[in-house]
Amino acid sequence: MSTDLFCEIIAGARPAYVVSSDEVAVSFLDTRPVFKGHVLVVPRAHVETLADLADVGPFFARVQAVARAVEDGLEAAGTFVAMNNRISQSVPHLHVHVVPRNRKDGLRGFFWPRTTYESAQEAESYAAAVAKALPAE
């Protein structure tokens, strides 16, 4: 049984601004977002890297849905979707970053400046906007 930060969030032992949760994946706001509304999508089962993920299709269907919801819910022009495997992976649990993007937003290359939410209420409002834009199950 792993006890990494994301496993703790999945188990409900650590708080997070959850956007969606099902038997395949849990999506929640990054606590140090590149831009507000930056969502992490993690598989419910603990795996460290993409190579370790047994059933890629259902997981990436969730990533695809979150990418659409970030654009729709936050009125973003697009998204930046990225994943690290071991190198630069801050938590040893597979996770995909879905970052809202707009033209001239200042993001350049692979330098990811980070920001913070001004309050819990602001973070909750971003999580709710993305969650509301997800398709009904």
Side-chain angles (χ1 to χ4, degrees), residues 8-94:
E8 291 174 6
I9 289 170
I10 291 165
R14 186 177 292 262
Y17 297 102
V18 175
V19 170
S20 66
S21 178
D22 65 17
E23 71 283 353
V24 173
V26 178
S27 304
F28 48 90
L29 294 182
D30 191 310
T31 58
R32 292 180 50 241
V34 174
F35 298 117
K36 292 175 183 180
H38 175 167
V39 176
L40 299 177
V41 184
V42 303
R44 185 170 286 282
H46 177 81
V47 295
E48 232 179 273
T49 68
L50 182 59
D52 301 326
L53 186 61
D55 200 0
V56 174
F59 177 71
F60 275 94
R62 278 30 174 221
V63 173
Q64 182 182 50
V66 168
R68 283 186 183 129
V70 165
E71 289 183 17
D72 293 345
L74 303 179
E75 298 179 358
T79 56
F80 173 66
V81 179
M83 168 183 16
N84 292 304
N85 278 298
R86 291 192 185 94
I87 305 301
S88 296
Q89 190 178 15
S90 58
V91 176
H93 189 125
L94 178 67

